[in-house]
Amino acid sequence: MALNLRQKQTECIIRMLNLNQPLNATGTANEEVYKILIYDKFCQNILSPLIHVKDLRKHGVTLYFLIDKDRKPVHDVPAVYFVQPSQVNVQRIVADASRSLYDSLHLNFSSSIPRPLLEDLASGTLNSESIDKILKVHDQYLEFVTLEHNLFSLAQKFCYVQLNDPSAGDREIEEIVEKVASGLFCVLATLAVVPVIRCPSGGPAEMVASVLDQKLRDHLLSKNNLFTEGGGFASSFQRPVLCIFDRNFELSVGIQHDFRYLPLVHDVLGLRLNRLSVPGEKGGMRSCELDSSDPFWVANGSLEFPEVAVEIETQLNKYKKDVDEVNRRTGGTDGAEFDGTDLIGNTKHLMNAVNSLPELTERKQVIDKHTNIATVLLGEIKERSLDSYAKKENDMMVRGGIDRNELLGVLRGKGTKMDKLRFAIIYLICSESINPSEVEAIETSLRESEVDTCAFQYVKKMKSLNVSLASSNSASRSNIVDWAEKLYGQSISAVTAGVKNLLSSDRQLALTRIVEALMEGRPNPDVDSYLVFDPRAPKSGSGTSGSHLKGPFKEAIVFMIGGGNYMEYGSLQEFAQRQQPVKHVIYGTTEILTGIEFVEQLTVLGQKMGLGGTVASPAPTL
């Protein structure tokens, strides 16, 4: 059975809501217990895309509260806590227990609770004589947000800034790496799989892979490890490959404009946790949900926007036709006198019509929702010429440049300040060599539009560093490399490497091409230098390669450190569906970012390095 992260995480949450009791065939506990759910903000975000209010009621949850809100006592009712293991949360739990807010407390931590916190919990409840209130403590290993069957985020903010901050010390970097590895461990524990890990050497990807490998090795030594139930013959026979990358591997994808429906909705309308707000028909904002329960979204999310508009029209016409058919069938006998002979047939038609009404109503709601979204998107596209940005950026990547007049025409034309800044940065990334007069003209144009150029200067600095690395002789090179690696992680050469390869003729991203090669598991110059970590194999030095690599792989988990996006997710899903037989790829990232959010992180790094000029509108502060 294919790995289904959303299903597995939902099952864990349902079991938790049922006081970690075994569930029956209907997916509920044999004995229904009414209870209260207490969560923190992070765990609310984990629950939000998976569990709706009606689902909570189905599992006996009558009330739910954030842990940091003041709550009144509710006697004779157990409380299920789902929170991160933090000092603040533990103190709050101790306070709740000592005040006897609830009959009993079932504590579920989103990841493994460290021993010092467990000791604080024990001593705090002992001192207040309330330890008997705490019935169970569970480590749930659920510290990630699943947005679709094959898409997850660790919801760890500003990772790119933290890892690339020139002033970050080794200790801070190690803390971030540990946090990312712990999040990935939670994902693997939920799936109950021990993958073969592949990553490029150097930089954050290798650091995370190495820490994760050690975590898995340590855990596999314990008797009751989390991988035994999923570690039957089938899963040990065919394991997935976990491919870890760092955002610098392919910087442009985090910045460019995309004209496909899902990335466009995310980038322009700010899709978050599968929800967004659009103007309603009667004024005010209306909240919409876009997830696997919406058949139109599932079927058309990867299409270009004009195709989506056509599909909405097609669905609307089909709906009207079906409504007319129901009306025709239940509308009597065309005005002829009723003689009773048609009674049985007409009753049957009425029954069919009544049965089809809920389905027709649901279809109409979906069509109305997407008509609404498409209308708002169309307004933004026209206002900002987003179709032109997407096309010209794509052309630049394929050709490796753009005509100077065309370039300046875009920067002086329609679009927000951020659209222009993103376009200018894509130009920098795509150009094999930097033309100083062209760059000066771009900077002048950006300043005229009052655009903060910090992010542009930061990428320019990275580019010039690559050039100086390539041209410097070996004697002085080591010093520059040391400085560069401190500044940008070890993937700096990737910022401009393989510009021509970024998009092949079928628009396949570099990431997708590398994942394809890693899944094949055959010798390939693109990936031969990639490290291999196999937590189930005897340890033989860091990242040994080749001997125990059991390719080809049917399943892959692809993880991007420093921010991912829907463009990469879409590209990987298209690749998986194209394969014969169909492969299965899960895509995850430290956080899912729009182009705007990623450029804001580049801006912060530019500011930290003292680059760029301040303008009328200040850069976003974090």
Side-chain angles (χ1 to χ4, degrees), residues 245 249 509-519 526-527 530:
F245 300 90
F249 169 79
L509 301 179
L511 177 76
T512 309
R513 210 181 58 253
I514 295 294
V515 169
E516 184 173 3
L518 290 169
M519 286 185 83
D526 281 347
V527 295
Y530 275 49

Side-chain angles (χ1 to χ4, degrees), residues 469 472-485:
L469 281 177
S472 61
N473 61 48
S474 55
S476 62
R477 186 182 163 88
S478 61
N479 294 338
I480 300 175
V481 172
D482 289 345
W483 177 69
E485 287 180 359

Side-chain angles (χ1 to χ4, degrees), residues 11 71 79 115 131 145 168 246 270 288 385 393 424 431 442 458 542-543:
E11 284 168 5
R71 289 166 274 118
R115 191 166 184 84
I131 197 158
V145 178
D246 145 42
C288 295
S385 280
E393 285 168 4
S431 306
I442 291 169
Y458 176 72
S542 161

Side-chain angles (χ1 to χ4, degrees), residues 37-56:
L37 175 64
I38 310 292
Y39 44 66
D40 60 12
K41 196 75 189 141
F42 188 90
C43 292
Q44 183 183 29
N45 290 346
I46 295 173
L47 295 169
S48 174
L50 301 177
I51 299 279
H52 298 100
V53 172
K54 65 177 188 295
D55 300 317
L56 290 176

Side-chain angles (χ1 to χ4, degrees), residues 505-546:
S505 55
D506 62 351
R507 291 178 54 168
Q508 194 182 46
L509 301 179
L511 177 76
T512 309
R513 210 181 58 253
I514 295 294
V515 169
E516 184 173 3
L518 290 169
M519 286 185 83
E520 278 176 2
R522 288 202 291 264
N524 181 324
D526 281 347
V527 295
D528 287 345
S529 63
Y530 275 49
L531 305 176
V532 183
F533 295 87
D534 184 353
R536 284 200 186 276
K539 199 154 191 181
S540 54
S542 161
T544 56
S545 93

